[in-house]
Amino acid sequence: MRHFLKETDLSAAEISAVFAQAAALKAARGRATASDLARQSWGLMFFKKSTRTRVSFQVGVHELGGLPVMLNADDLQLSRGETVADTAKVLSRYLHGMVIRCHEHALLEEFARCGTMPVVNALSDFLHPCQFMTDMFTLAERYAPGRPEQYAASLKGRKIAFLGDTACNMANSFVLGGAALGAEIALAGPAGYEPGAEVRAQLKADGLKETFTFTTDAAAAVKGADMVYTDVWVSMGMEAEKAERLKLMQPYQVNAKLMALAKPSAYFMHCLPAHPGEEVSADVLASPQSIIFDQAENRLHVQKAILAHLAAHRG
Ligand code: CP
């Protein structure tokens, strides 16, 4: 059984294949009917709020010929104490795959271990691999236009600056996925926000060399970058730390002065939702360098390719 819980659950060859399939699905959207999930039903289970992920997966399963079954975790017996193991076993009798957004990454792993269907990580407190794959696809569309077979290779050696909360799930995804794709990840955030032991252990477990650096100096990280990325300073579940984080992360706001240190051709990216005036200035968000809405659109195409890939490779 194949799952997509983390960036390294796909090999380098599979990432290339998924990018190529995403490009083909994007080009064919509205003109061709895909049937990769025909007569299949996929559960979409959310323990946290979502706009992009929820809608892009629901539309994506539908466009691949399947039935998306929306599951609000609060409405399930899981919220009244039924175990993850029993829930996974029962839902595997009805569904052909699961997409889950949750807090603890361990829940995804347990669900994948106990169920008998593919599981996709739609964000955990540890990683956000669907967003990472989409972000890399969105960049590669620009680096290798019209050559999807070159998308993964076009990312090798690129300098990606990630600013702000450098210990969040999105930063972890860049640390792990960046190593898998050979990109240079320059993290800049407050002292104490270095990538944690969990992501370093995952790199080691996957036999990957670290390709990230961490600094408290925002300008040093952005200098010469091909792309500058940020995420909200207060991730879901971190609301109690809001005041402290807003103060600590102020020097890492992506603004025009900081963007001027990146390459003139550099792109600005953000997984959204954005908080203009906090992690990014309003002018950078709206600037020609900003490709945030292409990122958001590509969630649909890339996730469709991931779902089709898992459906085609299930045991
Ligand atoms: N970027 C992202 O995952 O967006 P949502 O939280 O709206 O799904």
Side-chain angles (χ1 to χ4, degrees):
M1 185 59 59
R2 299 299 306 277
H3 304 289
F4 187 60
L5 307 189
K6 57 185 187 299
E7 290 71 8
T8 46
D9 282 342
L10 295 176
S11 68
E14 287 179 308
I15 290 175
S16 276
V18 165
F19 282 167
Q21 189 162 10
L25 286 166
K26 184 172 182 176
R29 188 169 185 234
R31 286 192 286 108
T33 309
S35 56
D36 302 78
L37 302 187
R39 290 178 298 283
Q40 293 196 11
S41 301
W42 279 62
L44 311 180
M45 189 190 288
F46 285 78
F47 290 80
K48 290 183 175 190
K49 304 283 184 217
S50 167
T51 297
R52 282 144 287 273
T53 309
R54 181 187 300 268
V55 176
S56 57
F57 268 114
Q58 189 169 8
V59 171
V61 171
H62 166 72
E63 290 189 358
L64 290 172
L67 172 72
V69 180
M70 297 307 297
L71 301 167
N72 183 346
D74 280 347
D75 295 334
L76 302 179
Q77 297 291 8
L78 198 54
S79 68
R80 295 180 61 248
E82 186 165 19
T83 65
V84 172
D86 283 1
T87 305
K89 286 174 191 166
V90 170
L91 292 183
S92 292
R93 302 289 179 114
Y94 310 135
L95 301 170
H96 299 87
M98 275 300 294
V99 174
I100 304 177
R101 168 168 286 197
C102 60
H103 297 272
E104 299 86 13
H105 194 75
L107 182 146
L108 286 165
E109 293 173 334
E110 187 177 359
F111 208 103
R113 198 169 53 246
C114 298
T116 52
M117 58 183 164
V119 177
V120 175
N121 179 357
L123 181 148
S124 68
D125 288 346
F126 181 37
L127 296 167
H128 197 358
C130 291
Q131 182 72 56
F132 173 79
M133 285 282 287
T134 300
D135 296 340
M136 295 300 95
F137 175 87
T138 306
L139 265 189
E141 283 184 312
R142 287 157 174 81
Y143 294 147
R147 291 176 292 130
E149 70 289 350
Q150 290 299 316
Y151 278 9
S154 76
L155 299 161
K156 207 170 162 63
R158 301 282 178 181
K159 181 177 179 182
I160 294 171
F162 188 106
L163 270 72
D165 182 1
T166 41
C168 74
N169 48 10
M170 208 54 242
N172 285 341
S173 279
F174 274 95
V175 166
L176 187 59
L181 287 169
E184 182 192 337
I185 309 300
L187 304 161
Y193 283 78
E194 296 92 340
E198 195 179 5
V199 72
R200 287 171 186 265
Q202 190 59 57
L203 281 171
K204 202 169 168 195
D206 288 322
L208 291 168
K209 232 175 65 193
E210 291 183 359
T211 61
F212 75 90
T213 54
F214 174 82
T215 176
T216 55
D217 182 347
V222 171
K223 195 161 183 260
D226 293 289
M227 186 267 274
V228 181
Y229 202 102
T230 192
D231 192 358
V232 293
W233 288 341
V234 187
S235 290
M236 287 180 276
M238 297 290 175
E239 289 77 8
E241 298 177 12
K242 184 173 177 178
E244 183 195 347
R245 283 169 166 261
L246 295 192
K247 198 168 147 212
L248 262 180
M249 294 183 191
Q250 203 60 55
Y252 304 97
Q253 183 193 73
V254 180
N255 50 39
K257 194 171 156 209
L258 209 53
M259 280 302 291
L261 300 174
K263 284 185 181 158
S265 58
Y267 296 104
F268 169 74
M269 301 181 88
H270 191 308
C271 50
L272 303 180
H275 292 184
E278 290 183 15
E279 74 277 4
V280 56
S281 62
D283 57 339
V284 167
L285 267 176
S287 71
Q289 287 171 290
S290 170
I291 52 174
I292 55 175
F293 295 113
D294 288 341
Q295 273 178 272
E297 178 194 328
N298 282 338
R299 292 290 301 276
L300 173 65
H301 311 304
V302 173
Q303 288 163 189
K304 281 169 70 179
I306 292 169
L307 295 176
H309 185 80
L310 294 180
H313 292 87
R314 65 178 292 166

